């Protein structure tokens, strides 16, 4: 798509929220430059980045010198400034359904496995590595199970809300990446697994995967 817009994204290669924003920008055909913020090394707390995002998380989208944070808000902003291809339906009921599917990951499953939550479990409650891994696995499975129940009731055709991927598919795909991180077998989540195959067959999803990012490829060994 011929698109004159260009944006900056502060993100991290492993961040599922950064993945969601990458996919949305690529679906829209909007050029962007991603600036890495290593949240595992604490770069989000450095003064320079705190000036960009007061919450000190990733991702942050910077467009025309205005910073926008939280992945769902960013995706809705992109739809507002460039309606096509559409990420969020215009029909009120479909719009609510798309947001509901997105929020299963964005508000429920994903926040509980983020580094800041897991670090707090270790510092405040003495959780060791095995306990934290069990915690993260539990909430990832809960998210997958919720999506499987929802997709069973309304089958993807071929995507969550119809012919084209939308904000719901982007968030479900992020949940699949979490499952890949923890080597979760998707055999018991067939609807989720099949939807993921359709999503990652598209370049916008495949090239946004954490393992396709420079930060991952630059890791030692």
């Amino acid at each position: 798509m011929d698109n004159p817009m260009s944006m900056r994204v502060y993100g991290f290669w492993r961040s599922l929220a950064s993945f969601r924003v990458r996919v949305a920008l690529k679906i829209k055909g909007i050029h962007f430059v991603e600036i890495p913020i290593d949240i595992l090394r604490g770069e989000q707390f450095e003064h320079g980045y705190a000036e960009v995002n007061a919450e000190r998380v990733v991702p942050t989208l910077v467009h025309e010198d205005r910073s926008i944070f939280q992945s769902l808000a960013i995706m809705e902003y992109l739809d507002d400034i460039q309606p096509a291809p559409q990420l969020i339906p215009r029909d009120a009921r479909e719009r609510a359904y798309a947001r509901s599917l997105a929020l299963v990951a964005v508000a429920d499953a994903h926040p509980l496995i983020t580094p800041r939550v897991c670090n707090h479990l270790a510092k405040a409650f003495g959780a060791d590595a095995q306990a934290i891994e069990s915690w993260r696995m539990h909430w990832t499975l809960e998210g997958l199970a919720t999506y499987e129940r929802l997709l069973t009731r309304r089958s993807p055709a071929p995507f969550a809300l119809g012919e084209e991927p939308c904000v719901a598919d982007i968030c479900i795909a992020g949940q699949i990446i979490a499952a890949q991180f923890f080597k979760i077998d998707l055999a018991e989540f067939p609807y989720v697994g099949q939807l993921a195959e359709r999503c990652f067959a598209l370049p916008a999803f495949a090239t946004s995967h954490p393992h396709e990012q420079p930060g991952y490829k630059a890791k030692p060994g």
Side-chain angles (χ1 to χ4, degrees):
M1 182 183 298
D2 183 17
N3 195 316
M5 281 194 286
S6 182
M7 301 182 181
R8 298 197 311 277
V9 176
Y10 292 84
F12 181 53
W13 68 265
R14 201 178 191 278
S15 160
L16 301 183
S18 298
F19 162 80
R20 294 191 285 263
V21 170
R22 279 186 216 113
V23 176
L25 285 162
K26 290 180 181 182
I27 288 176
K28 295 284 189 182
I30 297 173
H31 178 265
F32 68 97
V33 174
E34 184 164 344
I35 301 166
I37 300 294
D38 191 332
I39 61 175
L40 298 180
R41 297 178 59 184
E43 291 180 359
Q44 70 273 32
F45 298 111
E46 294 179 1
H47 177 73
Y49 184 64
E51 290 295 313
V52 174
N53 186 329
E55 194 183 9
R56 300 180 297 188
V57 296
V58 295
T60 305
L61 178 83
V62 179
H63 180 218
E64 296 178 348
D65 297 323
R66 175 159 294 184
S67 296
I68 303 159
F69 59 101
Q70 291 293 342
S71 63
L72 188 56
I74 293 171
M75 291 189 284
E76 292 200 12
Y77 174 76
L78 295 176
D79 237 22
D80 287 339
I81 64 171
Q82 182 176 297
Q86 196 169 317
L87 295 177
I88 303 174
R90 297 303 175 214
D91 176 81
R93 291 182 180 179
E94 291 291 270
R95 192 175 183 87
Y97 180 60
R99 281 196 177 114
S100 297
L101 286 174
L103 286 166
V104 170
V106 172
D108 289 343
H110 178 218
L112 291 168
I113 67 169
T114 57
R116 60 179 176 171
V117 168
C118 293
N119 289 339
H120 185 69
L121 288 173
K123 292 177 182 178
F125 305 106
D128 60 17
Q130 184 176 355
I132 291 173
E133 189 74 1
S134 177
W135 167 277
R136 298 174 79 192
M137 181 82 74
H138 171 78
W139 292 114
T140 300
L141 285 166
E142 283 290 303
L144 292 170
T146 300
Y147 277 133
E148 186 68 16
R149 291 194 300 272
L150 290 166
L151 296 180
T152 299
R153 294 178 182 180
R154 177 175 170 175
S155 300
F159 296 101
L161 274 79
E163 291 295 322
E164 301 296 332
C166 71
V167 65
D169 301 279
I170 295 172
C171 294
I172 294 171
Q175 190 69 18
I176 292 295
I177 293 173
Q180 293 171 351
F181 286 162
F182 302 126
K183 297 180 171 56
I184 294 172
D185 186 352
L186 295 178
E188 62 180 295
F189 309 110
Y191 280 90
V192 174
Q194 291 162 17
L195 178 59
E197 289 179 6
R198 297 184 196 110
C199 288
F200 286 104
L202 302 176
F205 286 81
T207 61
S208 297
H209 193 288
H211 291 173
E212 294 300 316
Q213 306 315 305
Y216 172 78
K217 296 180 177 181
K219 288 197 314 174

Short mmCIF file of all heavy atoms in Angstrom, two decimals, residues 23-80:
data_model
loop_
_atom_site.label_atom_id
_atom_site.label_comp_id
_atom_site.label_asym_id
_atom_site.label_seq_id
_atom_site.Cartn_x
_atom_site.Cartn_y
_atom_site.Cartn_z
N VAL A 23 1.73 -5.91 13.92
CA VAL A 23 0.78 -6.51 12.97
C VAL A 23 -0.19 -5.46 12.45
O VAL A 23 -0.44 -5.36 11.25
CB VAL A 23 0.00 -7.67 13.62
CG1 VAL A 23 -1.05 -8.21 12.64
CG2 VAL A 23 0.93 -8.80 14.03
N ALA A 24 -0.74 -4.67 13.35
CA ALA A 24 -1.72 -3.65 12.94
C ALA A 24 -1.11 -2.67 11.94
O ALA A 24 -1.73 -2.33 10.93
CB ALA A 24 -2.24 -2.91 14.17
N LEU A 25 0.10 -2.22 12.22
CA LEU A 25 0.76 -1.27 11.31
C LEU A 25 1.00 -1.92 9.95
O LEU A 25 0.82 -1.27 8.90
CB LEU A 25 2.09 -0.81 11.92
CG LEU A 25 1.96 0.21 13.07
CD1 LEU A 25 3.25 0.26 13.87
CD2 LEU A 25 1.61 1.59 12.52
N LYS A 26 1.39 -3.17 9.94
CA LYS A 26 1.67 -3.85 8.67
C LYS A 26 0.39 -4.13 7.89
O LYS A 26 0.38 -4.03 6.66
CB LYS A 26 2.47 -5.12 8.92
CG LYS A 26 3.89 -4.82 9.38
CD LYS A 26 4.71 -6.07 9.65
CE LYS A 26 6.11 -5.71 10.12
NZ LYS A 26 6.96 -6.90 10.35
N ILE A 27 -0.68 -4.48 8.58
CA ILE A 27 -1.96 -4.64 7.89
C ILE A 27 -2.38 -3.33 7.24
O ILE A 27 -2.87 -3.31 6.11
CB ILE A 27 -3.05 -5.14 8.87
CG1 ILE A 27 -2.80 -6.60 9.24
CG2 ILE A 27 -4.45 -4.98 8.27
CD1 ILE A 27 -3.76 -7.15 10.28
N LYS A 28 -2.15 -2.24 7.94
CA LYS A 28 -2.50 -0.91 7.41
C LYS A 28 -1.54 -0.44 6.33
O LYS A 28 -1.83 0.50 5.60
CB LYS A 28 -2.50 0.11 8.55
CG LYS A 28 -3.56 -0.09 9.61
CD LYS A 28 -4.92 0.32 9.14
CE LYS A 28 -5.93 0.31 10.26
NZ LYS A 28 -7.29 0.67 9.79
N GLY A 29 -0.38 -1.08 6.24
CA GLY A 29 0.62 -0.63 5.28
C GLY A 29 1.30 0.66 5.67
O GLY A 29 1.78 1.41 4.83
N ILE A 30 1.37 0.93 6.97
CA ILE A 30 1.99 2.16 7.48
C ILE A 30 3.46 1.90 7.79
O ILE A 30 3.79 0.97 8.52
CB ILE A 30 1.26 2.65 8.74
CG1 ILE A 30 -0.20 3.01 8.40
CG2 ILE A 30 1.98 3.86 9.35
CD1 ILE A 30 -1.04 3.34 9.62
N HIS A 31 4.30 2.72 7.26
CA HIS A 31 5.74 2.58 7.52
C HIS A 31 6.04 2.98 8.96
O HIS A 31 5.50 3.96 9.49
CB HIS A 31 6.54 3.48 6.57
CG HIS A 31 8.02 3.41 6.82
ND1 HIS A 31 8.67 4.33 7.63
CD2 HIS A 31 8.97 2.53 6.40
CE1 HIS A 31 9.95 4.02 7.68
NE2 HIS A 31 10.16 2.94 6.95
N PHE A 32 6.89 2.21 9.60
CA PHE A 32 7.28 2.55 10.96
C PHE A 32 8.71 2.10 11.22
O PHE A 32 9.23 1.19 10.57
CB PHE A 32 6.33 1.92 11.99
CG PHE A 32 6.42 0.41 12.08
CD1 PHE A 32 7.18 -0.20 13.06
CD2 PHE A 32 5.73 -0.39 11.18
CE1 PHE A 32 7.26 -1.59 13.15
CE2 PHE A 32 5.80 -1.77 11.26
CZ PHE A 32 6.56 -2.38 12.25
N VAL A 33 9.32 2.74 12.18
CA VAL A 33 10.65 2.37 12.66
C VAL A 33 10.49 1.95 14.11
O VAL A 33 9.91 2.69 14.91
CB VAL A 33 11.64 3.54 12.54
CG1 VAL A 33 12.97 3.16 13.17
CG2 VAL A 33 11.81 3.94 11.08
N GLU A 34 10.98 0.75 14.44
CA GLU A 34 10.87 0.29 15.82
C GLU A 34 12.17 0.56 16.57
O GLU A 34 13.25 0.18 16.12
CB GLU A 34 10.54 -1.20 15.88
CG GLU A 34 10.32 -1.69 17.30
CD GLU A 34 9.62 -3.04 17.38
OE1 GLU A 34 9.03 -3.48 16.37
OE2 GLU A 34 9.68 -3.66 18.47
N ILE A 35 12.03 1.22 17.70
CA ILE A 35 13.16 1.54 18.56
C ILE A 35 13.13 0.58 19.74
O ILE A 35 12.15 0.54 20.50
CB ILE A 35 13.07 2.99 19.05
CG1 ILE A 35 13.06 3.94 17.84
CG2 ILE A 35 14.22 3.33 20.00
CD1 ILE A 35 12.63 5.35 18.17
N PRO A 36 14.16 -0.25 19.90
CA PRO A 36 14.12 -1.28 20.95
C PRO A 36 14.27 -0.71 22.36
O PRO A 36 15.14 0.11 22.62
CB PRO A 36 15.28 -2.20 20.58
CG PRO A 36 16.23 -1.34 19.80
CD PRO A 36 15.38 -0.34 19.07
N ILE A 37 13.40 -1.19 23.23
CA ILE A 37 13.48 -0.89 24.66
C ILE A 37 13.52 -2.25 25.37
O ILE A 37 12.52 -2.97 25.39
CB ILE A 37 12.27 -0.07 25.15
CG1 ILE A 37 12.17 1.26 24.41
CG2 ILE A 37 12.33 0.14 26.66
CD1 ILE A 37 13.31 2.22 24.68
N ASP A 38 14.66 -2.60 25.91
CA ASP A 38 14.82 -3.92 26.53
C ASP A 38 14.20 -3.90 27.93
O ASP A 38 14.81 -3.45 28.89
CB ASP A 38 16.30 -4.29 26.61
CG ASP A 38 16.51 -5.75 26.99
OD1 ASP A 38 15.65 -6.31 27.69
OD2 ASP A 38 17.55 -6.33 26.61
N ILE A 39 12.98 -4.42 28.02
CA ILE A 39 12.28 -4.36 29.31
C ILE A 39 12.82 -5.38 30.30
O ILE A 39 12.55 -5.28 31.50
CB ILE A 39 10.76 -4.55 29.11
CG1 ILE A 39 10.43 -5.91 28.49
CG2 ILE A 39 10.19 -3.41 28.28
CD1 ILE A 39 8.94 -6.19 28.39
N LEU A 40 13.57 -6.38 29.83
CA LEU A 40 14.18 -7.33 30.75
C LEU A 40 15.40 -6.73 31.44
O LEU A 40 15.76 -7.13 32.55
CB LEU A 40 14.57 -8.62 30.02
CG LEU A 40 13.39 -9.40 29.40
CD1 LEU A 40 13.90 -10.65 28.70
CD2 LEU A 40 12.34 -9.75 30.45
N ARG A 41 16.03 -5.76 30.80
CA ARG A 41 17.19 -5.07 31.38
C ARG A 41 16.80 -3.77 32.07
O ARG A 41 17.65 -3.06 32.60
CB ARG A 41 18.23 -4.79 30.28
CG ARG A 41 18.79 -6.05 29.65
CD ARG A 41 19.76 -5.73 28.54
NE ARG A 41 20.89 -4.93 29.02
CZ ARG A 41 21.86 -4.44 28.24
NH1 ARG A 41 21.81 -4.66 26.93
NH2 ARG A 41 22.84 -3.75 28.75
N GLY A 42 15.52 -3.44 32.05
CA GLY A 42 15.05 -2.26 32.76
C GLY A 42 15.17 -0.95 32.00
O GLY A 42 15.09 0.12 32.61
N GLU A 43 15.34 -1.00 30.69
CA GLU A 43 15.51 0.23 29.93
C GLU A 43 14.26 1.11 29.94
O GLU A 43 14.34 2.32 29.71
CB GLU A 43 15.91 -0.09 28.48
CG GLU A 43 17.31 -0.68 28.36
CD GLU A 43 17.71 -0.99 26.93
OE1 GLU A 43 16.88 -0.77 26.02
OE2 GLU A 43 18.85 -1.45 26.73
N GLN A 44 13.11 0.51 30.26
CA GLN A 44 11.87 1.28 30.31
C GLN A 44 11.84 2.26 31.47
O GLN A 44 11.04 3.19 31.50
CB GLN A 44 10.65 0.34 30.39
CG GLN A 44 10.49 -0.42 31.70
CD GLN A 44 11.26 -1.73 31.71
OE1 GLN A 44 12.31 -1.86 31.09
NE2 GLN A 44 10.72 -2.71 32.40
N PHE A 45 12.75 2.05 32.44
CA PHE A 45 12.78 2.94 33.61
C PHE A 45 13.80 4.07 33.45
O PHE A 45 13.90 4.93 34.33
CB PHE A 45 13.12 2.13 34.86
CG PHE A 45 12.09 1.07 35.17
CD1 PHE A 45 12.40 -0.28 35.03
CD2 PHE A 45 10.80 1.41 35.58
CE1 PHE A 45 11.46 -1.25 35.30
CE2 PHE A 45 9.85 0.45 35.85
CZ PHE A 45 10.18 -0.90 35.71
N GLU A 46 14.54 4.06 32.37
CA GLU A 46 15.51 5.13 32.15
C GLU A 46 14.78 6.44 31.85
O GLU A 46 13.69 6.45 31.25
CB GLU A 46 16.45 4.75 31.00
CG GLU A 46 17.33 3.55 31.35
CD GLU A 46 18.25 3.13 30.21
OE1 GLU A 46 18.21 3.81 29.15
OE2 GLU A 46 18.98 2.14 30.38
N HIS A 47 15.41 7.54 32.25
CA HIS A 47 14.74 8.84 32.18
C HIS A 47 14.26 9.18 30.77
O HIS A 47 13.13 9.66 30.59
CB HIS A 47 15.68 9.94 32.68
CG HIS A 47 15.09 11.31 32.58
ND1 HIS A 47 14.09 11.75 33.42
CD2 HIS A 47 15.34 12.33 31.69
CE1 HIS A 47 13.74 12.99 33.07
NE2 HIS A 47 14.49 13.37 32.05
N GLY A 48 15.07 8.91 29.78
CA GLY A 48 14.70 9.27 28.42
C GLY A 48 13.41 8.60 27.97
O GLY A 48 12.55 9.25 27.34
N TYR A 49 13.24 7.32 28.31
CA TYR A 49 12.02 6.64 27.88
C TYR A 49 10.83 7.04 28.76
O TYR A 49 9.69 7.10 28.27
CB TYR A 49 12.19 5.13 27.90
CG TYR A 49 10.97 4.42 27.37
CD1 TYR A 49 10.59 4.59 26.03
CD2 TYR A 49 10.18 3.62 28.17
CE1 TYR A 49 9.46 3.98 25.53
CE2 TYR A 49 9.04 3.00 27.67
CZ TYR A 49 8.68 3.18 26.35
OH TYR A 49 7.54 2.58 25.85
N ALA A 50 11.06 7.31 30.02
CA ALA A 50 9.98 7.75 30.89
C ALA A 50 9.34 9.04 30.38
O ALA A 50 8.15 9.29 30.61
CB ALA A 50 10.47 7.94 32.32
N GLU A 51 10.12 9.85 29.68
CA GLU A 51 9.57 11.07 29.07
C GLU A 51 8.65 10.72 27.90
O GLU A 51 7.72 11.47 27.60
CB GLU A 51 10.71 11.96 28.58
CG GLU A 51 11.53 12.59 29.69
CD GLU A 51 10.70 13.56 30.52
OE1 GLU A 51 10.00 14.39 29.93
OE2 GLU A 51 10.75 13.43 31.76
N VAL A 52 8.88 9.59 27.25
CA VAL A 52 8.05 9.16 26.13
C VAL A 52 6.78 8.49 26.64
O VAL A 52 5.68 8.71 26.11
CB VAL A 52 8.84 8.17 25.22
CG1 VAL A 52 7.94 7.60 24.13
CG2 VAL A 52 10.05 8.87 24.62
N ASN A 53 6.91 7.65 27.66
CA ASN A 53 5.78 6.89 28.17
C ASN A 53 5.84 6.90 29.70
O ASN A 53 6.68 6.23 30.30
CB ASN A 53 5.81 5.45 27.65
CG ASN A 53 4.59 4.65 28.03
OD1 ASN A 53 3.98 4.85 29.08
ND2 ASN A 53 4.22 3.71 27.18
N ALA A 54 4.95 7.65 30.32
CA ALA A 54 4.96 7.80 31.78
C ALA A 54 4.63 6.49 32.50
O ALA A 54 4.99 6.32 33.67
CB ALA A 54 3.97 8.88 32.20
N GLU A 55 3.95 5.56 31.81
CA GLU A 55 3.66 4.27 32.43
C GLU A 55 4.88 3.36 32.45
O GLU A 55 4.92 2.38 33.16
CB GLU A 55 2.50 3.56 31.70
CG GLU A 55 1.93 2.40 32.47
CD GLU A 55 0.83 1.66 31.74
OE1 GLU A 55 0.61 1.92 30.55
OE2 GLU A 55 0.20 0.79 32.37
N ARG A 56 5.86 3.68 31.59
CA ARG A 56 7.13 2.95 31.51
C ARG A 56 6.91 1.49 31.10
O ARG A 56 7.42 0.56 31.72
CB ARG A 56 7.90 3.06 32.83
CG ARG A 56 8.23 4.50 33.21
CD ARG A 56 9.00 4.60 34.50
NE ARG A 56 8.22 4.12 35.63
CZ ARG A 56 8.61 4.23 36.90
NH1 ARG A 56 9.76 4.81 37.20
NH2 ARG A 56 7.86 3.76 37.87
N VAL A 57 6.13 1.34 30.04
CA VAL A 57 5.90 0.02 29.45
C VAL A 57 6.05 0.16 27.93
O VAL A 57 6.18 1.27 27.40
CB VAL A 57 4.49 -0.52 29.78
CG1 VAL A 57 4.34 -0.75 31.28
CG2 VAL A 57 3.40 0.42 29.27
N VAL A 58 6.04 -0.97 27.25
CA VAL A 58 6.01 -0.96 25.79
C VAL A 58 4.73 -1.67 25.35
O VAL A 58 4.19 -2.49 26.10
CB VAL A 58 7.25 -1.67 25.18
CG1 VAL A 58 8.51 -0.91 25.50
CG2 VAL A 58 7.35 -3.12 25.63
N PRO A 59 4.25 -1.31 24.15
CA PRO A 59 4.82 -0.38 23.18
C PRO A 59 4.31 1.04 23.36
O PRO A 59 3.33 1.27 24.04
CB PRO A 59 4.31 -0.95 21.84
CG PRO A 59 2.94 -1.46 22.20
CD PRO A 59 3.08 -2.02 23.60
N THR A 60 5.01 1.96 22.72
CA THR A 60 4.55 3.33 22.56
C THR A 60 4.63 3.69 21.10
O THR A 60 5.67 3.45 20.46
CB THR A 60 5.42 4.32 23.36
OG1 THR A 60 5.48 3.92 24.72
CG2 THR A 60 4.87 5.73 23.27
N LEU A 61 3.56 4.24 20.57
CA LEU A 61 3.54 4.73 19.19
C LEU A 61 3.71 6.24 19.23
O LEU A 61 3.02 6.93 19.99
CB LEU A 61 2.21 4.38 18.52
CG LEU A 61 2.04 4.88 17.09
CD1 LEU A 61 2.71 3.92 16.11
CD2 LEU A 61 0.56 5.03 16.74
N VAL A 62 4.64 6.76 18.44
CA VAL A 62 4.82 8.20 18.33
C VAL A 62 4.46 8.62 16.91
O VAL A 62 5.05 8.15 15.94
CB VAL A 62 6.26 8.63 18.67
CG1 VAL A 62 6.41 10.13 18.51
CG2 VAL A 62 6.62 8.19 20.08
N HIS A 63 3.45 9.47 16.81
CA HIS A 63 2.99 9.97 15.52
C HIS A 63 2.81 11.47 15.62
O HIS A 63 2.07 11.96 16.48
CB HIS A 63 1.65 9.31 15.14
CG HIS A 63 1.11 9.77 13.83
ND1 HIS A 63 -0.22 9.97 13.59
CD2 HIS A 63 1.75 10.06 12.66
CE1 HIS A 63 -0.41 10.36 12.34
NE2 HIS A 63 0.78 10.43 11.75
N GLU A 64 3.52 12.18 14.78
CA GLU A 64 3.47 13.64 14.77
C GLU A 64 3.72 14.20 16.17
O GLU A 64 3.00 15.07 16.67
CB GLU A 64 2.12 14.12 14.22
CG GLU A 64 1.91 13.72 12.76
CD GLU A 64 0.55 14.14 12.23
OE1 GLU A 64 -0.31 14.52 13.04
OE2 GLU A 64 0.36 14.07 11.00
N ASP A 65 4.76 13.66 16.81
CA ASP A 65 5.23 14.12 18.12
C ASP A 65 4.25 13.86 19.26
O ASP A 65 4.41 14.42 20.36
CB ASP A 65 5.60 15.61 18.08
CG ASP A 65 6.76 15.88 17.13
OD1 ASP A 65 7.66 15.02 17.07
OD2 ASP A 65 6.75 16.92 16.46
N ARG A 66 3.26 13.03 19.03
CA ARG A 66 2.34 12.66 20.11
C ARG A 66 2.52 11.19 20.44
O ARG A 66 2.52 10.33 19.55
CB ARG A 66 0.89 12.95 19.71
CG ARG A 66 -0.13 12.47 20.74
CD ARG A 66 -1.45 13.18 20.60
NE ARG A 66 -1.34 14.59 20.90
CZ ARG A 66 -2.37 15.44 20.94
NH1 ARG A 66 -3.59 14.99 20.69
NH2 ARG A 66 -2.21 16.71 21.21
N SER A 67 2.67 10.88 21.72
CA SER A 67 2.86 9.50 22.15
C SER A 67 1.52 8.86 22.52
O SER A 67 0.71 9.46 23.22
CB SER A 67 3.78 9.45 23.38
OG SER A 67 5.08 9.92 23.06
N ILE A 68 1.33 7.65 22.03
CA ILE A 68 0.12 6.89 22.32
C ILE A 68 0.57 5.54 22.87
O ILE A 68 1.45 4.89 22.29
CB ILE A 68 -0.73 6.70 21.04
CG1 ILE A 68 -1.08 8.05 20.45
CG2 ILE A 68 -1.99 5.90 21.35
CD1 ILE A 68 -1.44 8.00 19.00
N PHE A 69 0.00 5.14 23.99
CA PHE A 69 0.42 3.88 24.60
C PHE A 69 -0.79 2.98 24.82
O PHE A 69 -1.94 3.41 24.62
CB PHE A 69 1.17 4.13 25.91
CG PHE A 69 0.39 4.89 26.96
CD1 PHE A 69 -0.18 4.21 28.02
CD2 PHE A 69 0.25 6.27 26.88
CE1 PHE A 69 -0.91 4.90 28.98
CE2 PHE A 69 -0.46 6.95 27.84
CZ PHE A 69 -1.05 6.28 28.89
N GLN A 70 -0.51 1.73 25.21
CA GLN A 70 -1.47 0.63 25.34
C GLN A 70 -1.86 0.14 23.94
O GLN A 70 -2.39 0.88 23.11
CB GLN A 70 -2.71 1.02 26.13
CG GLN A 70 -2.44 1.24 27.61
CD GLN A 70 -2.05 -0.06 28.33
OE1 GLN A 70 -2.28 -1.16 27.85
NE2 GLN A 70 -1.45 0.09 29.51
N SER A 71 -1.60 -1.13 23.69
CA SER A 71 -1.71 -1.68 22.33
C SER A 71 -3.11 -1.55 21.75
O SER A 71 -3.26 -1.23 20.57
CB SER A 71 -1.26 -3.14 22.31
OG SER A 71 -2.11 -3.95 23.10
N LEU A 72 -4.14 -1.78 22.54
CA LEU A 72 -5.49 -1.69 22.00
C LEU A 72 -5.83 -0.25 21.62
O LEU A 72 -6.43 0.00 20.57
CB LEU A 72 -6.51 -2.23 23.00
CG LEU A 72 -7.95 -2.36 22.49
CD1 LEU A 72 -8.03 -3.21 21.23
CD2 LEU A 72 -8.85 -2.94 23.58
N ALA A 73 -5.42 0.70 22.45
CA ALA A 73 -5.64 2.11 22.13
C ALA A 73 -4.89 2.50 20.86
O ALA A 73 -5.40 3.25 20.02
CB ALA A 73 -5.19 2.99 23.29
N ILE A 74 -3.69 1.97 20.69
CA ILE A 74 -2.90 2.25 19.48
C ILE A 74 -3.62 1.70 18.26
O ILE A 74 -3.75 2.38 17.23
CB ILE A 74 -1.49 1.66 19.60
CG1 ILE A 74 -0.70 2.40 20.68
CG2 ILE A 74 -0.76 1.73 18.26
CD1 ILE A 74 0.63 1.76 21.03
N MET A 75 -4.12 0.47 18.34
CA MET A 75 -4.81 -0.13 17.20
C MET A 75 -6.07 0.64 16.85
O MET A 75 -6.39 0.85 15.67
CB MET A 75 -5.10 -1.60 17.46
CG MET A 75 -3.83 -2.45 17.48
SD MET A 75 -4.14 -4.24 17.55
CE MET A 75 -4.60 -4.44 19.28
N GLU A 76 -6.80 1.10 17.86
CA GLU A 76 -8.00 1.90 17.59
C GLU A 76 -7.62 3.24 16.97
O GLU A 76 -8.32 3.75 16.08
CB GLU A 76 -8.80 2.10 18.87
CG GLU A 76 -9.41 0.80 19.38
CD GLU A 76 -10.57 1.03 20.35
OE1 GLU A 76 -11.04 2.17 20.45
OE2 GLU A 76 -11.00 0.05 20.97
N TYR A 77 -6.53 3.82 17.42
CA TYR A 77 -6.05 5.09 16.84
C TYR A 77 -5.72 4.90 15.36
O TYR A 77 -6.10 5.73 14.52
CB TYR A 77 -4.83 5.57 17.61
CG TYR A 77 -4.16 6.78 17.02
CD1 TYR A 77 -4.71 8.05 17.16
CD2 TYR A 77 -2.96 6.67 16.30
CE1 TYR A 77 -4.10 9.17 16.62
CE2 TYR A 77 -2.35 7.78 15.75
CZ TYR A 77 -2.92 9.04 15.92
OH TYR A 77 -2.31 10.15 15.36
N LEU A 78 -5.05 3.81 15.04
CA LEU A 78 -4.70 3.55 13.64
C LEU A 78 -5.96 3.41 12.79
O LEU A 78 -6.00 3.88 11.65
CB LEU A 78 -3.85 2.28 13.53
CG LEU A 78 -2.47 2.34 14.20
CD1 LEU A 78 -1.78 0.99 14.09
CD2 LEU A 78 -1.61 3.45 13.58
N ASP A 79 -6.98 2.79 13.33
CA ASP A 79 -8.24 2.67 12.60
C ASP A 79 -8.91 4.02 12.40
O ASP A 79 -9.54 4.27 11.38
CB ASP A 79 -9.19 1.73 13.35
CG ASP A 79 -9.65 0.55 12.50
OD1 ASP A 79 -8.95 0.21 11.52
OD2 ASP A 79 -10.69 -0.05 12.81
N ASP A 80 -8.77 4.89 13.39
CA ASP A 80 -9.38 6.22 13.30
C ASP A 80 -8.71 7.07 12.23
O ASP A 80 -9.37 7.81 11.49
CB ASP A 80 -9.31 6.94 14.65
CG ASP A 80 -10.28 6.36 15.66
OD1 ASP A 80 -11.25 5.70 15.25
OD2 ASP A 80 -10.05 6.56 16.88
#
